[in-house]
Amino acid sequence: VTLASDPVVLALDIGGTKIAGALVTRTGRCTAMASVPTPARDGAGAILDAAAQLAGTLRASEEGNRVRGVGLAAAGVVDPTTGVVVSATDHLAGWAGTDLIEGIASRLESPGLPVRVQNDAQAHAAGEAWLGAAAGVSTALVVAVGTGIGGAVTVDGEVLTGRHGAAGHLGHLAVPAAAGLPCACGGTGHVEALASGVGLAQLHARLSGASGRSHNVAGPGVTPLDGRQVATLAATGDPVALEAVRMAGAALGVAVGGVSNVVAPDVVVIAGSLTGAGEPWWTALRSAVAGELIPALAGIDVVAAELGDRAALVGAARRVWQGLD
Ligand SMILES: [Zn+2]
C-alpha cells in the first residue's frame, strides 16, 4: 500500500508509439500508471507537450503524493549529462538535438524539480538490474527486441552509458546472416535488419516470395505480415514462418554471443515484444549464443525480462532517487 504522503518520483518513458508514465516510490513500486499515444509526426515540442500533460494527469490522480523529481527515459541516443538527444531515427520527427531536461522542466508546474534523462534501452536495463531479471548479479547484458533492437550493459546495477550515452547499441552489430541488408541506422548488414520485428517481417516476405507461396507475398493489394503475425503463423507450424523465426532468433544469438564474449555477463536478459515469438525463436537464440561463446563463458543463462513495460519507468526513477539519497 502506498500512503498518500509517500514521496514519489514521476517517471516518463517516451517511445515511438506511446508515452508511458508512473509515480514510482523509493522502493520501485509503480502507482498511477498511464500512457498516451506519441504524436511522433508533430515534432519535439508536441511530444514534450504530451509528456508534460501526462505528467500533470498522473500528479493530479494521486493528490497528496510528494513528487521529488522527474525521471525521463527516451528513444534515441540521449546524453545523460547534457540531457540532449544526440541522434535519433526518423520514428520521432525533429527529435535529434532536443534538450530534454530543459524541455520537460519548463513544461512542469514545479520548475524546481530535478530532472534526469537517459536512453530508453538503458533505463530498461537499469530497471531489470534493480528489481527484475538482472537483480543481484554483477554484470548483465540486457537486450530489447521490438521494432528495433536496443541493448545495455549493467555493472553492479549501474548502466554503462559511454561516450554521448551511446553505449549498448547491439542492434547495429554486423552479423553474417544480415549481410547486405539495409539497416534503419543507414548502415548495412546489422543484426537489427534481420532480427528485429521489422526485420523478421521483411525476412518472412522474402522467404515467402522465394518459396512461391503466394498467400504471404507482399504485392499489390496484399499486406505483408508484421513480426508478431509471423510469430503467430510460426506457432501454427507454418514452415516458412517457422524458418523466418528461427533465422531471426539465430542471427540475434550470434550478436548476443559475440557481445557476451566481450562483457562476460553473469546473465543475458531478453526484453521486448519478440520474446513472445515462441519456443522455436528462443531455442534458435540460445543455441546460437552457445555456439558463439568462448569455453570460459559456457552456460550463461539467457532469460526473459521480468518487469515488462514497467522496466524503463522504474529505471528512469532510480536515477532520480540515486541523486536524492
Ligand atoms: Zn544499424
Side-chain angles (χ1 to χ4, degrees), residues 37 47 68 79 87 95 102 118 131 133 180 219 251 290 294 308 313:
I47 294 169
R68 299 287 306 279
D79 190 317
S87 67
W95 198 233
E102 165 63 22
Q118 63 190 315
L131 297 167
I294 58 174
L313 293 167

Side-chain angles (χ1 to χ4, degrees), residues 135-149:
V137 305
S138 174
T139 305
L141 172 62
V142 181
V143 182
V145 196
T147 307
I149 296 178

Side-chain angles (χ1 to χ4, degrees), residues 35-77:
S35 66
V36 294
T38 306
R41 307 310 327 158
D42 300 342
I47 294 169
L48 290 169
D49 284 346
Q53 195 167 7
L54 177 64
T57 304
L58 287 165
R59 292 184 72 168
S61 71
E62 299 236 333
E63 202 175 346
N65 268 308
R66 291 186 302 131
V67 175
R68 299 287 306 279
V70 178
L72 179 64
V77 176

Side-chain angles (χ1 to χ4, degrees), residues 3 12 40 57 63 80-81 99 111 127 139 175 184 186 229 250 290 311 320:
L3 300 176
L12 297 167
T57 304
E63 202 175 346
T81 307
D99 183 338
T139 305
V175 295
Q229 290 168 325
V320 183

Side-chain angles (χ1 to χ4, degrees), residues 171-172 183-187 190 192:
H172 304 290
C183 183
C185 71
H190 298 170
E192 179 173 301

Side-chain angles (χ1 to χ4, degrees), residues 69-161:
V70 178
L72 179 64
V77 176
V78 178
D79 190 317
T81 307
T82 63
V84 172
V85 179
V86 179
S87 67
T89 62
D90 295 335
H91 294 306
L92 297 179
W95 198 233
T98 304
D99 183 338
L100 297 177
I101 293 178
E102 165 63 22
I104 282 294
S106 64
R107 285 172 170 80
L108 294 176
E109 294 160 30
S110 322
L113 288 173
V115 178
R116 301 277 184 272
V117 304
Q118 63 190 315
N119 162 266
D120 52 4
Q122 292 174 1
H124 197 114
E128 290 288 339
W130 185 19
L131 297 167
V137 305
S138 174
T139 305
L141 172 62
V142 181
V143 182
V145 196
T147 307
I149 296 178
V153 174
T154 65
V155 179
D156 297 333
E158 301 300 322
V159 176
L160 175 72
T161 52

